[in-house]
Amino acid sequence: MRRLQFLLCMIVSFLAPAIETTIPNIPSELQAQTPGGTGRFCNVQNPSGGWWLWITGDMISDPCQTLLSQHCTGPECQVVSSGTYLLNGQNQASVNCQGYSNTFVGIGVQPLGKAFDSVVPFRPFCTFQVRSFLSSNSSPIAQVRKP
C-alpha cells in the first residue's frame, strides 16, 4: 500500500509545494459495519490542472492532511473529493478529467489503482469518486464526500 501511495503522489507532485490547512475529519462509523475494514482516499487539485490522489489502508491516517502538508502548493490547492472505500469489499472508482472519464469496479484498492493508471501519463483536472458496496446487488454503503 505504501508503494502505491508513494507512486500516486510522485507522478503528479512536481506540480505544487505544500500549504497548511485544516481538513474536517471523515467519520469512521463505516469501519465497524464492514468486515475487513475501511480505508480513506483524498483527491486535491490546483487551478493549473495539477492533481494528487492519496490512498490509505486505515481510518487513522488523514490522506487530505498528508497531501496538503507535504505535496500540494499554494493557497489555491483544494480538496475536490475525499471519502472511504472497503479494503476487502467491492468498490467502484470513477475518474473524470478534462477530456476523459471512466469507471472501474473491483475489490479493495484495485479500482482506485485502475482509475489512477488510466490517467497516467498526466491528464489535467482529474477528480476521483468512490462508491463501496457490501455485495454486487446491494446499495452503496459509502460514497464520496465533497467539501
Side-chain angles (χ1 to χ4, degrees):
M1 180 62 71
R2 292 212 182 272
R3 184 175 173 200
L4 178 61
Q5 290 172 342
F6 177 75
L7 176 64
L8 294 175
C9 283
M10 290 308 296
I11 291 178
V12 293
S13 66
F14 67 91
L15 297 173
I19 63 168
E20 291 184 31
T21 189
T22 303
I23 301 297
N25 289 331
I26 298 169
S28 60
E29 323 70 65
L30 184 60
Q31 190 165 12
Q33 300 172 8
T34 56
T38 306
R40 297 168 77 180
F41 75 94
C42 185
N43 178 204
V44 175
Q45 284 184 1
N46 68 22
S48 67
W51 56 268
W52 295 258
L53 176 66
W54 194 268
I55 301 167
T56 69
D58 60 47
M59 291 298 290
I60 298 167
S61 306
D62 185 342
C64 291
Q65 186 62 39
T66 300
L67 285 175
L68 293 170
S69 67
Q70 298 177 22
H71 300 283
C72 198
T73 71
E76 68 279 347
C77 246
Q78 302 181 46
V79 174
V80 291
S81 66
S82 67
T84 59
Y85 71 98
L86 297 176
L87 297 175
N88 297 306
Q90 183 177 5
N91 298 296
Q92 174 183 302
S94 298
V95 59
N96 293 292
C97 306
Q98 185 175 14
Y100 176 81
S101 85
N102 210 337
T103 299
F104 302 88
V105 176
I107 303 299
V109 74
Q110 181 186 39
L112 286 94
K114 287 182 178 181
F116 176 82
D117 289 345
S118 75
V119 295
V120 174
F122 180 74
R123 291 181 187 266
F125 298 105
C126 292
T127 302
F128 295 82
Q129 298 178 344
V130 180
R131 294 174 53 180
S132 297
F133 300 86
L134 286 175
S135 71
S136 59
N137 297 334
S138 68
S139 301
I141 58 171
Q143 292 184 329
V144 67
R145 296 174 190 263
K146 292 186 178 181

